[in-house]
């Protein structure tokens, strides 16, 4: 299962840079049960190696579609950020990492420097200091839920949600779908 999670990317540089001595608090999103078990074992093993008696890494419990825990430092996803948790992590300045980071760190025997391993972290948030008008349907419960999630992502990213009547005002970014906010964050 390990190979299926990381594919051919599982290799570390000749002299990898050690990451900061901080507790890493992961939230996992987008993995099946078997993949999550592999990741849990690797994080636990590396957490024990790194700290002795005090764990240096934990995986936080998080509902499948729930909000991102406030004490999360890393969002662990299998691909590019496309789901609610990954986008919340992206706009709230958390590290967005994939299993390669965990397994390469385990192979190195210490947590690798996230800045050196090509993982995402936007500081400041790509949404900060921007104004957004959410022009989305909210007729059904599903549409209202999606609209609320887009609003949450914008607010977590320190953006400002303005009324859709303000959309004609200069500098307001119009959001008509969840894809719009993803595209804005990733550009």
């Amino acid at each position: 299962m390990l190979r299926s999670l990381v594919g051919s990317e599982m290799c570390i540089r000749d002299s990898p840079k050690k990451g900061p001595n901080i507790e890493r608090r992961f939230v996992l999103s987008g993995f099946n049960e078997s993949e999550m078990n592999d990741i849990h074992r690797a994080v636990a093993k590396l957490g024990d190696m790194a700290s002795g008696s005090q764990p240096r890494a934990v995986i936080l419990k998080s509902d499948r579609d729930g909000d991102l825990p406030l004490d999360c430092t890393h969002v662990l996803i299998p691909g590019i950020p496309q789901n609610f948790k990954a986008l919340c992590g992206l706009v709230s300045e958390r590290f967005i990492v994939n299993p390669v980071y965990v397994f390469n760190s385990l192979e190195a025997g210490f947590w690798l420097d996230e800045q050196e391993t090509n993982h995402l972290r936007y500081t400041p948030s790509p949404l900060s200091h921007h104004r957004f008008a959410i022009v989305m349907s909210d007729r059904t419960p599903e549409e209202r839920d999606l609209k609320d999630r887009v609003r949450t992502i914008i607010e977590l990213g320190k953006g400002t949600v303005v009324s859709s009547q303000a959309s004609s005002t200069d500098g307001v970014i119009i959001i008509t779908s969840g894809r719009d906010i993803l595209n804005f964050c990733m550009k």
Side-chain angles (χ1 to χ4, degrees):
M1 183 49 64
L2 175 66
R3 276 291 156 205
S4 69
L5 280 173
V6 297
S8 62
E9 294 181 62
M10 191 164 166
C11 62
I12 57 175
R13 298 181 331 194
D14 291 335
S15 56
K17 184 176 176 186
K18 194 171 192 174
N21 190 22
I22 60 167
E23 184 173 50
R24 283 154 176 81
R25 302 178 69 76
F26 293 96
V27 167
L28 278 58
S29 186
F31 297 102
N32 67 38
E33 189 175 335
S34 176
E35 293 167 336
M36 289 196 327
N37 289 337
D38 288 345
I39 294 167
H40 273 270
R41 281 191 295 276
V43 167
K45 185 173 182 181
L46 190 53
D48 291 343
M49 288 168 48
S51 65
S53 63
Q54 194 74 302
R56 287 294 201 201
V58 294
I59 296 179
L60 302 171
K61 293 192 186 304
S62 180
D63 293 335
R64 182 173 188 267
D65 293 322
D67 292 338
L68 195 64
L70 293 175
D71 57 347
C72 167
T73 60
H74 294 69
V75 179
L76 189 65
I77 59 173
I80 62 170
Q82 293 188 23
N83 62 32
F84 179 67
K85 282 184 193 168
L87 281 172
C88 287
L90 185 72
V91 302
S92 60
E93 304 176 13
R94 274 42 175 238
F95 283 105
I96 309 298
V97 298
N98 62 34
V100 173
Y101 170 72
V102 173
F103 294 115
N104 282 349
S105 293
L106 182 60
E107 187 176 317
F110 53 82
W111 288 109
L112 298 173
D113 186 345
E114 294 88 341
Q115 301 290 347
E116 299 284 318
T117 56
N118 297 324
H119 288 95
L120 292 175
R121 185 178 192 193
Y122 293 117
T123 55
S125 166
L127 304 182
S128 66
H129 309 297
H130 291 287
R131 298 180 324 142
F132 298 88
I134 304 172
V135 184
M136 296 170 63
S137 175
D138 59 2
R139 290 176 293 209
T140 67
E142 293 81 16
E143 290 173 334
R144 283 190 293 277
D145 183 55
L146 178 59
K147 191 172 183 178
D148 288 344
R149 286 175 178 263
V150 168
R151 176 181 300 278
T152 298
I153 290 167
I154 292 169
E155 290 170 350
L156 270 173
K158 300 179 181 112
T160 303
V161 176
V162 297
S163 133
S164 59
Q165 284 78 24
S167 63
S168 63
T169 307
D170 287 338
V172 174
I173 298 150
I174 308 299
I175 302 296
T176 60
S177 69
R179 176 71 50 198
D180 288 349
I181 198 71
L182 172 65
N183 290 340
F184 186 83
C185 288
M186 297 302 291
K187 67 177 179 176

